[in-house]
Amino acid sequence: MGHGRTPLRTAAAGAVSAALIAGTVVGLAPAAQAAPAVRFVDITGDGGTVLKANVLTPAGADGTRDYPLVVLPTSWGLPQIEYLAQAQKLADSGYVVLTYNVRGFWQSGGQIEVAGPPDIADASKVIDWALAHTPADPQRIGMAGVSYGAGISLLAAAHDKRIKAVAALSGWADLIDSIYSGRTQHVQAAAVLDGAGTLTGRESPELREIFDNLYASDLSKEQQMIDWGRKRSAGTYVDQLNSNGAAVMLANAWGDTVFPANQYAGFYEKLTGPKRLELRPGDHATAELTGLFGLPNDVWTDTERWFDHYLRGADNGIDREQPVQLKSRSAGGYEGYPDWKSVGATRRKVALAGSTTIHANVDSGADGGIVFLSSILDQVAQLPPIASMPLLPRRWAAVWQSERNGTAQRVRGTARLHTTLTPTEESGTLVAYLYDVGPLGIGKLVTHAPLSWHGRTPGEPFGVDLDLFSTAYDVPAGHRLALVVDTVDPLYIEHNPSGAQLTFSSPSDDPSYVSVPLREQ
């Protein structure tokens, strides 16, 4: 099976490599003559697995001094030259930079372990190799990466005390909360990861089983999947990470359809050492993308500033800036906050009055969009998914709207839904959407989130508390906020039996509402 994919994988490697090298040449052309040479090497990882890697050292390094080391594990499905442009910039600035293709992908050996113990052991082996074969300073070691590389970097810092600084870009801290939030399979995101892994790597039998059980909605395997994910989540080892004292920078995008911003924000609050959280418009890894081609990029600029301060001791002020930096999806410029709790300084409750019943199994037209495409459109053109509130069929969608806003409402942070639900079946799924509704009734998606349940008594009400995905969005004056709930969204697997109905009510002693976090005016 692996041999059958070899020509396709090689062709894909050539295409990706050509694109990245072309971007690097364009981005770094003015400094081409001074750029450090790239040396391609083989590194023996855990259990003897060969990892394909490349290393750059500062120009003029002659063995008389040591330099800080930055290790860059590759993203899911990308080859080892992924970071070449940024590696050359770092080497030009005085770093030894080592990039390696994680096990199971491209020409590296082994199988895809999804940041499992062999991957974490590999990271330490790579550091060992760098200390033995380059002028790297053992007291000044950092790790960084995008997506898969970010997750591995965080986990490695929790397990290897030598790592003093981390920049985890578009990564995860809780793997299960990323692809299975609200007990709901994020099927489009999982399919993208599965497809990329099949094309560019070699899935382990364990990973194949996890994907198959996820698609099959096999509840008998749910705890097994949760345990598998916890072992691969930095949040599980946050105490070790804090004890090790690494300086941690986290960066993500509001519309990340693989690793939603919520799980990073919650993890950030648990960190006790030097830390920074940056959230911007975009989808998974799109905020960092231009930097991979050597073009100006805020995320990579701050990554280098982070390492300059915590590995080289540069007094560049990054430690004195507000540690939480946010950029709204609908307004330019960054906003600084002292911590995540300060982001939504006030909360506005929109009442969800009355009782309404919807039928399941039909997509009402309110959707979270398409993986990658929708959030990229929002990032580059401020065009999030839309829905017409008057045209949403009330048979399949519950709709509540606020009064028109007298002033602009700057939504910042995590909106929360509280309601009472009575299902007709023991299992089910709902998806809640918060919209910015203009004068013509057209709603632009502000945020959303899914929720599934199992083992409930049909006809018996229960309370629902659901955190929607964190965001930063400015609702113009004169617009309304709308909360829409339906049962089908192409982003997720739904668990509603045929003919199921959901009734939402607002008891007088426990009224229903959506609580919207707002920045102080």
Side-chain angles (χ1 to χ4, degrees):
M1 197 160 95
H3 293 299
R5 291 199 301 271
T6 299
L8 182 59
R9 186 181 301 125
T10 301
V16 173
S17 298
L20 286 172
I21 291 174
T24 299
V25 170
V26 172
L28 298 180
Q33 291 184 341
V38 182
R39 182 159 57 104
F40 291 90
V41 299
D42 289 351
I43 297 176
T44 302
D46 185 56
T49 297
V50 175
L51 306 174
K52 296 295 182 176
N54 61 71
V55 61
L56 293 89
T57 55
D62 58 6
T64 61
R65 57 167 291 195
D66 291 337
Y67 300 87
L69 168 68
V70 173
V71 176
L72 302 168
T74 52
S75 301
W76 185 274
L78 289 184
Q80 58 163 304
I81 62 165
E82 173 189 4
Y83 303 114
L84 186 56
Q86 292 302 322
Q88 288 184 331
K89 287 184 177 181
L90 286 166
D92 284 339
S93 298
Y95 291 89
V96 173
V97 187
L98 193 155
T99 293
Y100 71 97
N101 232 124
V102 292
R103 66 171 53 224
F105 283 103
W106 300 103
Q107 284 74 39
S108 284
Q111 297 178 321
I112 302 171
E113 299 288 346
V114 195
D119 289 304
I120 309 313
D122 283 346
S124 292
K125 293 284 189 180
V126 168
I127 292 172
D128 292 342
W129 186 95
L131 294 178
H133 295 89
T134 74
D137 185 343
Q139 303 304 316
R140 296 185 292 168
I141 298 173
M143 283 192 71
V146 176
S147 185
Y148 196 36
I152 289 175
S153 294
L154 280 176
L155 285 160
H159 289 83
D160 192 326
K161 294 181 179 181
R162 295 175 297 180
I163 300 170
K164 304 303 182 185
V166 174
L169 318 178
S170 288
W172 77 91
D174 188 328
L175 190 56
I176 294 303
D177 196 43
S178 297
I179 63 172
Y180 192 58
S181 69
R183 296 185 74 184
T184 307
Q185 298 97 320
H186 297 208
V187 67
Q188 282 191 19
V192 167
L193 295 174
D194 190 4
T198 300
L199 176 64
T200 64
R202 299 166 300 280
E203 296 179 345
S204 67
E206 182 182 33
L207 175 58
R208 185 68 261 157
E209 182 182 3
I210 290 294
F211 275 130
D212 290 344
N213 291 338
L214 189 78
Y215 299 143
S217 304
D218 188 347
L219 289 177
S220 69
K221 303 292 187 178
E222 183 182 39
Q223 190 58 50
Q224 174 187 336
M225 181 180 68
I226 290 172
D227 293 341
W228 174 87
R230 283 177 178 163
K231 186 184 296 185
R232 292 160 169 81
S233 298
T236 302
Y237 311 99
V238 67
D239 290 341
Q240 291 176 219
L241 186 58
N242 287 333
S243 177
N244 290 350
V248 178
M249 173 180 154
L250 308 172
N252 208 343
W254 294 119
D256 195 318
T257 44
V258 180
F259 303 130
N262 293 46
Q263 45 88 37
Y264 250 12
F267 178 70
Y268 172 83
E269 287 292 273
K270 297 176 183 177
L271 294 173
T272 58
K275 58 183 179 178
R276 183 178 177 91
L277 175 65
E278 301 184 354
L279 296 170
R280 301 172 174 84
D283 204 309
H284 184 62
T286 63
E288 300 88 2
L289 184 61
T290 57
L292 296 180
F293 294 94
L295 300 174
N297 182 277
D298 291 351
V299 188
W300 286 105
T301 295
D302 286 348
T303 294
E304 185 168 354
R305 293 175 64 221
W306 191 252
F307 286 143
D308 282 350
H309 180 74
Y310 287 103
L311 296 183
R312 300 176 65 192
D315 185 14
N316 56 18
I318 197 168
D319 58 319
R320 296 188 295 275
E321 296 172 359
Q322 295 277 42
V324 176
Q325 294 286 322
L326 311 181
K327 189 174 185 180
S328 170
R329 292 162 46 205
S330 46
Y334 288 89
E335 304 164 357
Y337 300 85
D339 51 41
W340 177 250
K341 294 177 182 178
S342 302
V343 170
T346 61
R347 301 194 75 89
R348 175 188 177 188
K349 284 188 177 181
V350 177
L352 311 179
S355 178
T356 185
T357 298
I358 62 173
H359 295 251
N361 312 121
V362 174
D363 189 341
S364 71
D367 286 327
I370 300 171
V371 65
F372 288 119
L373 176 61
S374 297
S375 291
I376 291 175
L377 284 173
D378 187 36
Q379 177 184 2
V380 301
Q382 295 184 11
L383 291 175
I386 62 172
S388 171
M389 295 302 109
L391 297 182
L392 286 176
R394 270 41 176 188
R395 178 179 176 84
W396 295 299
V399 182
W400 297 267
Q401 296 191 69
S402 72
E403 298 297 323
R404 285 191 175 88
N405 305 320
T407 59
Q409 306 285 289
R410 294 185 287 183
V411 180
R412 300 289 187 273
T414 308
R416 296 185 177 93
L417 167 65
H418 174 76
T419 190
T420 297
L421 170 62
T422 305
T424 59
E425 304 289 343
E426 68 171 5
S427 294
T429 298
L430 63 82
V431 187
Y433 310 87
L434 185 66
Y435 284 97
D436 158 25
V437 183
L440 299 180
I442 302 299
K444 294 183 176 181
L445 186 64
V446 177
T447 181
H448 78 286
L451 177 70
S452 298
W453 59 91
H454 304 280
R456 291 288 178 177
T457 301
E460 184 174 303
F462 63 93
V464 168
D465 289 286
L466 175 63
D467 282 354
L468 308 190
F469 298 137
S470 302
T471 194
Y473 182 98
D474 295 355
V475 180
H479 286 209
R480 304 174 188 267
L481 287 169
L483 192 284
V484 176
V485 180
D486 71 2
T487 62
V488 176
D489 190 304
L491 288 171
Y492 311 107
I493 289 179
E494 53 109 355
H495 299 270
N496 299 292
S498 179
Q501 299 178 32
L502 307 180
T503 297
F504 301 93
S505 57
S506 183
S508 58
D509 60 343
D510 187 18
S512 296
Y513 58 85
V514 58
S515 174
V516 181
L518 301 176
R519 184 186 178 195
E520 290 182 345
Q521 301 298 320

